[in-house]
Amino acid sequence: MAGARRRTEALLLVLVIGIAVFGHVSAGLAMNGELPQQLTSFVISMTLLSLVGHLGIRRFAAYADPLIFPLAMLLTGLGLVLIHRLDQGYIERYNSDANAPGQLLWTVVGVAACILVVALLRDHRLLQRFIYITMALALVLLIAPAFFGADTYGAKRWIILFGFSLQPGEFVKIMIAIFFAGYLVIHRDSLALTGRRFLGMRLPPMRQLGPIITVWIVSMLVLVFERDLGTSLIFFGVFVVMLYVATERTSWIVCGLVMAAVGAFVVGSTEPHVKARVAAWLNPLSYYWQDRPPGVTSDQSAQALFSFGTGGVSGTGLGMGHPELIKFAGRSDFILTTVGEELGLAGVMAVLFLYALLVQRGLRMALAARDPFGKLLAVGLASALALQVFVVAGGVTGLIPLTGKALPFLAKGGSSLLANWIMIALLLRISDSAERQREADALGPAETTITPVLVGR
């Protein structure tokens, strides 16, 4: 069974390399009429990354889901293709620096970190021992940009260390998923079985509202002091989703939605940066025609709509559009507009389908996992990925106000890429443990030895 899974993974990785190389060649031919100069190095890089990742998984997580790593590699490869393509447009129009070499370096670091986590963390349940330390570290990282962060494009979500920028919020989403999974395993019964009924719902008692109120307050503080709408939405959303999964109580969803709506209304009405983004979301074309409220200088929402409109259903063709008109954010959260313009609605749907499939594999692991901590952790990680894709894609397409978060795997950003590859490592470890346990149960107690549980509830 393990061998079949790894053979499937290997075949999918061959397809991934083919798709990435084809995209790189197509963009080069469209822009310059010749093969890209970096084609050989690109092929070697994608091949070595896929090979090393595959061999690492075969050695340390042989029973892991065969789709997770290829899906992550495909999204990362598409991101490298798009950033290579965008570099030429930005260099010609704005004389900016090339970002593709740095993104490739971070991809190497991310894949290496993924294999290292899989190799060292032989049982995901070990993380349950350190949930309070993990949450303390997460809170420190979460509030650090408010005091030591750099104010970039209206938000304080980066910390500058030794000349490198670090976005702590990307790592916090993993830490809060670990903490909530451990916390809810311990307190699940008290959260699910107590409280009074009101309008057909069992409302949680006041003493149990403490965690959700604390998370709500922290989310609002992040939004106010760091002006980071995306991190606040993901942070609070993951907690509410995990609460609902752990307790199966609709009242937690209702409480979460009410508190999110109240907090968003208050902050959106008072905090200038957030208020400006809401106004830009409501009237994007007014901003493009220079009819802007005080404090708002961005016309990116309108430019994004123009890009999607230009692309239509099938797109202009990779390398044949003008996504650089989005300006500074075209290689980060607005990289989806390049997909929309040059690959059309079909390309956007294909990318979103890849994300949906990756989230589905995470939720499938939650169903397969035998231990409660593994179930909730898989749900939390999959929810964090889904919420981040939603807030980024929703902001770019005009469904919700802009958040400024990076699109996972696809967009430029070392912190985002590294954090997402660590998330992939945890999902691989959970799926490997679940499948090993399933096969052990199928063989029966007389034919196998089960490793004892290292941590209790």
Side-chain angles (χ1 to χ4, degrees):
M1 184 64 178
R5 284 172 170 251
R6 302 283 66 82
R7 285 192 294 272
T8 301
E9 181 182 78
L11 291 174
L12 289 174
L13 287 172
V14 172
L15 179 61
V16 165
I17 295 171
I19 293 174
V21 171
F22 177 78
H24 192 47
V25 169
S26 298
L29 291 175
M31 291 187 292
N32 305 314
E34 60 183 13
L35 295 176
Q37 295 180 355
Q38 311 90 351
L39 178 60
T40 302
S41 60
F42 182 80
V43 173
I44 294 174
S45 299
M46 286 295 298
T47 303
L48 288 178
L49 285 169
S50 300
L51 179 61
V52 171
H54 171 70
L55 293 177
I57 296 171
R58 179 181 287 272
R59 172 64 179 83
F60 299 110
Y63 288 83
D65 190 296
L67 268 68
I68 299 174
F69 185 72
L71 284 171
M73 277 302 303
L74 179 55
L75 288 167
T76 303
L78 290 176
L80 289 170
V81 169
L82 293 175
I83 293 172
H84 270 291
R85 177 265 172 274
L86 286 167
D87 275 350
Q88 181 167 331
Y90 276 81
I91 291 172
E92 292 176 355
R93 182 174 289 269
Y94 306 112
N95 196 29
S96 65
D97 297 328
N99 289 158
Q103 186 74 357
L104 179 59
L105 177 61
W106 278 110
T107 301
V108 174
V109 173
V111 174
C114 174
I115 300 305
L116 187 63
V117 171
V118 171
L120 297 179
L121 183 65
R122 306 311 295 267
D123 193 326
H124 63 274
R125 292 169 293 183
L126 287 171
L127 296 173
Q128 193 175 354
R129 293 179 175 180
F130 309 103
I131 57 173
Y132 292 103
I133 296 175
T134 300
M135 192 58 192
L137 180 59
L139 290 176
V140 170
L141 290 176
L142 195 62
I143 65 176
F147 300 97
F148 310 106
D151 195 333
T152 308
Y153 306 123
K156 296 180 67 174
R157 62 169 67 97
W158 289 274
I159 298 176
I160 307 300
L161 293 173
F162 307 108
F164 294 94
S165 61
L166 174 68
Q167 193 171 348
E170 294 291 343
F171 301 95
V172 169
K173 65 185 180 185
I174 301 175
M175 296 178 182
I176 62 172
I178 293 172
F179 170 76
F180 291 153
Y183 179 85
L184 293 173
V185 166
I186 298 171
H187 299 284
R188 178 177 53 186
D189 292 341
S190 59
L191 290 168
L193 303 176
T194 57
R196 298 179 180 179
R197 299 193 67 83
F198 177 74
L199 297 178
M201 298 183 299
R202 185 179 293 277
L203 296 178
M206 289 305 298
R207 69 178 183 275
Q208 302 298 344
L209 275 175
I212 196 170
I213 291 175
T214 301
V215 172
W216 179 71
I217 292 173
V218 172
S219 298
M220 292 304 104
L221 290 176
V222 170
L223 186 53
V224 171
F225 290 107
E226 300 179 16
R227 301 184 292 277
D228 191 353
L229 178 61
T231 298
S232 298
L233 290 173
I234 295 170
F235 184 44
F236 190 71
V238 168
F239 183 50
V240 173
V241 169
M242 294 180 71
L243 266 174
Y244 174 72
V245 171
T247 63
E248 300 182 14
R249 289 180 57 169
T250 310
S251 56
W252 285 112
I253 295 290
V254 174
C255 288
L257 291 176
V258 170
M259 295 175 73
V262 171
F265 175 78
V266 173
V267 176
S269 302
T270 57
E271 211 288 323
H273 179 72
V274 178
K275 186 177 181 180
R277 285 199 165 182
V278 173
W281 167 58
L282 294 174
N283 302 285
L285 295 181
S286 296
Y287 289 33
Y288 181 75
W289 297 113
Q290 306 299 320
D291 182 18
R292 304 169 184 169
V296 179
T297 58
S298 174
D299 60 357
Q300 292 170 324
S301 296
Q303 290 281 15
L305 296 179
F306 296 154
S307 293
F308 289 122
T310 301
V313 175
S314 57
T316 61
L318 192 59
M320 301 183 67
H322 295 282
E324 70 277 1
L325 295 177
I326 296 292
K327 300 177 183 175
F328 67 88
R331 288 177 282 198
S332 54
D333 48 331
F334 277 88
I335 198 169
L336 189 64
T337 62
T338 304
V339 180
E341 181 176 355
E342 300 191 343
L343 299 179
L345 177 64
V348 172
M349 294 304 297
V351 169
L352 294 180
F353 175 77
L354 293 177
Y355 284 119
L357 186 56
L358 190 54
V359 172
Q360 184 270 336
R361 304 311 290 183
L363 296 177
R364 184 179 181 274
M365 290 170 212
L367 293 174
R370 302 300 177 89
D371 63 295
F373 178 75
K375 286 179 178 293
L376 288 174
L377 181 57
V379 168
L381 295 174
S383 300
L385 177 62
L387 286 168
Q388 184 157 344
V389 172
F390 170 76
V391 299
V392 176
V396 172
T397 57
L399 180 62
I400 61 174
L402 291 173
T403 61
K405 297 292 289 183
L407 195 61
F409 300 105
L410 215 63
K412 175 183 74 72
S415 299
S416 175
L417 201 57
L418 178 58
N420 287 315
W421 274 107
I422 293 174
M423 182 186 300
I424 292 297
L426 294 176
L427 291 175
L428 287 169
R429 173 51 63 210
I430 295 171
S431 67
D432 178 71
S433 300
E435 186 60 25
R436 286 179 186 274
Q437 185 65 51
R438 191 191 68 81
E439 290 211 357
D441 292 345
L443 291 173
E447 300 182 48
T448 186
T449 301
I450 306 298
T451 302
V453 176
L454 298 179
V455 291
R457 281 190 59 190

